[in-house]
Amino acid sequence: MNFTSEIKKELVSRFGGGETTDGKRAALSAFVRTSGTLGIAQNAPTFFLVSETEIVAELFMRLFFETFETELSVTHATTDKKSGKGKLVLQSHGADTSDILRGLGLLKRDEKDFRTGIANSLLKNERAEIAYIKGAFLGGGSCTLPTGKTVGYHLEIVFSDKKTALDFCLLLERYELIAKWIERKENFVVYIKSKELISDFLSLVGAESCLKKFNAFVEKRDEANRDNRAKNCFAGNADKTAIAAVKQVVAIGKIEQETGLASLSEDLYALAKARLKHPHKSLKELSEMLGVSKSCLNHRMRKLMEIAEEL
């Protein structure tokens, strides 16, 4: 089971019978916006819903019946050619479809056109707002974690119209969740890439188990990244030390060839001989061998390099 499925499963399990009528309406409206298709059939408005998750489809079938006393029927099941996932297609029948769509803020009063955006009448209180966010994720949401193939964190919800996507961004802002949107083919995608904000999103919708799993994943990955940076830094320092040592050996060899090491002072002679004998040791290790401070040894090594440059 992927992480998206885990989140949806937990949201369904926590969408209990204690949800208010306002909350149910908000969730249903969001679900239709993200997984539904609105249309006109036989001069009457109708809608289809598509769900890849059976438990999500069952939840919204139940919510439709509890809220509007109407039953959605499964018209057929299909398989997505790209993902290979099964999909259930649900449809509303009957003369009360118009009343349902108006109740969900999706149909204008004249019944000749559908509304875009999120109707203010749906967001009557905080519980209704959060229910709308839950319904939107259940209908068109996904959340992916970094793997070998993906490099970052990504949570998104897909809407069929731009106005609703923009309104949804504003709704998230009320809870300090700053999301962006992008047009993708004929859809409009609201997305969050910050791991901190994704954590806040999971907390807001009440996916507590998935939140714990997400935070544990983030901590483990961050720790691994810190270890890798430390190793890379160590390797980088080791490379710098090796390159510096090679330059020092070359410089001392030049002095030895041109004037001889005996021409050096006693301190510089001792350092030159130690470097030639131990080309792989760091200056810190050489300073301990010679019994002098590292800063003193640095000064002497610079003097040797200057002598070589003057030759």
Side-chain angles (χ1 to χ4, degrees):
M1 181 183 295
N2 59 39
F3 194 51
T4 296
S5 298
E6 290 184 42
I7 297 172
K8 291 186 177 182
K9 183 178 180 180
E10 184 172 4
L11 292 183
V12 169
S13 69
R14 294 181 181 276
F15 215 106
E19 191 64 51
T20 64
T21 300
D22 289 338
K24 292 176 183 178
R25 286 178 183 271
L28 287 171
S29 181
F31 188 69
V32 175
R33 284 293 193 200
T34 52
S35 68
T37 300
L38 304 174
I40 302 294
Q42 298 178 348
N43 295 321
T46 186
F47 63 89
F48 291 89
L49 300 174
V50 179
S51 177
E52 295 180 350
T53 310
E54 186 174 350
I55 59 171
V56 173
E58 291 175 350
L59 168 65
F60 284 97
M61 290 175 72
R62 174 172 63 82
L63 292 180
F64 267 105
F65 183 77
E66 292 175 354
T67 308
F68 298 104
E69 296 184 353
T70 187
E71 292 187 358
L72 299 181
S73 60
V74 179
T75 59
H76 63 281
T78 184
T79 301
D80 187 283
K81 294 181 180 179
K82 292 184 178 181
S83 65
K85 296 180 180 179
K87 292 184 177 182
L88 294 175
V89 181
L90 313 176
Q91 185 178 14
S92 172
H93 298 283
D96 57 352
T97 299
S98 295
D99 294 332
I100 293 173
L101 291 175
R102 278 198 302 272
L104 298 180
L106 303 174
L107 183 67
K108 293 182 178 180
R109 291 185 178 182
D110 58 13
E111 298 187 9
K112 295 181 180 180
D113 200 6
F114 296 103
R115 291 180 179 273
T116 58
I118 304 175
N120 292 328
S121 59
L122 294 171
L123 309 178
K124 293 183 177 181
N125 50 57
E126 183 176 301
R127 291 186 65 179
E129 291 176 347
I130 295 175
Y132 192 98
I133 295 171
K134 291 180 183 178
F137 187 86
L138 287 170
S142 63
C143 184
T144 55
L145 305 179
T147 63
K149 297 180 180 180
T150 58
V151 296
Y153 299 88
H154 186 86
L155 183 147
E156 70 173 39
I157 300 175
V158 182
F159 294 89
S160 58
D161 71 274
K162 181 178 179 179
K163 180 66 167 61
T164 305
L166 294 176
D167 285 353
F168 192 75
C169 287
L170 294 175
L171 174 58
L172 292 179
E173 281 187 25
R174 298 180 192 180
Y175 297 91
E176 298 182 355
L177 294 172
I178 308 303
K180 297 181 179 180
W181 69 274
I182 188 173
E183 185 173 358
R184 182 189 296 162
K185 296 182 179 179
E186 297 180 355
N187 295 314
F188 298 86
V189 182
V190 174
Y191 65 93
I192 298 173
K193 288 185 174 291
S194 161
K195 59 190 176 185
E196 292 80 12
L197 292 181
I198 293 176
S199 177
D200 291 343
F201 180 94
L202 295 175
S203 176
L204 177 67
V205 297
E208 297 176 3
S209 297
C210 289
L211 173 61
K212 291 179 181 178
K213 182 173 182 178
F214 178 80
N215 288 339
F217 178 90
V218 170
E219 178 58 31
K220 184 176 180 180
R221 184 174 175 81
D222 286 351
E223 183 177 354
N225 288 338
R226 286 193 295 269
D227 289 343
N228 286 335
R229 284 195 293 270
K231 290 178 182 178
N232 291 337
C233 181
F234 179 80
N237 289 336
D239 290 342
K240 291 179 181 178
T241 299
I243 293 172
V246 169
K247 291 181 178 180
Q248 293 161 8
V249 169
V250 170
I252 293 170
K254 184 178 181 181
I255 296 172
E256 185 175 31
Q257 183 177 0
E258 295 293 332
T259 62
L261 297 184
S263 63
L264 299 171
S265 65
E266 183 178 348
D267 292 338
L268 296 183
Y269 177 83
L271 175 56
K273 295 293 287 185
R275 171 49 81 203
L276 292 177
K277 187 177 181 181
H278 304 284
H280 302 299
K281 290 188 178 296
S282 66
L283 285 181
K284 184 176 184 299
E285 291 172 317
L286 290 179
S287 68
E288 293 173 351
M289 289 176 53
L290 297 174
V292 295
S293 67
K294 185 181 176 181
S295 61
C296 178
L297 205 68
N298 274 326
H299 175 74
R300 293 178 185 179
M301 184 60 74
R302 283 196 297 272
K303 185 62 177 176
L304 284 174
M305 301 298 285
E306 289 172 2
I307 293 172
E309 286 178 5
E310 291 173 356
L311 293 176

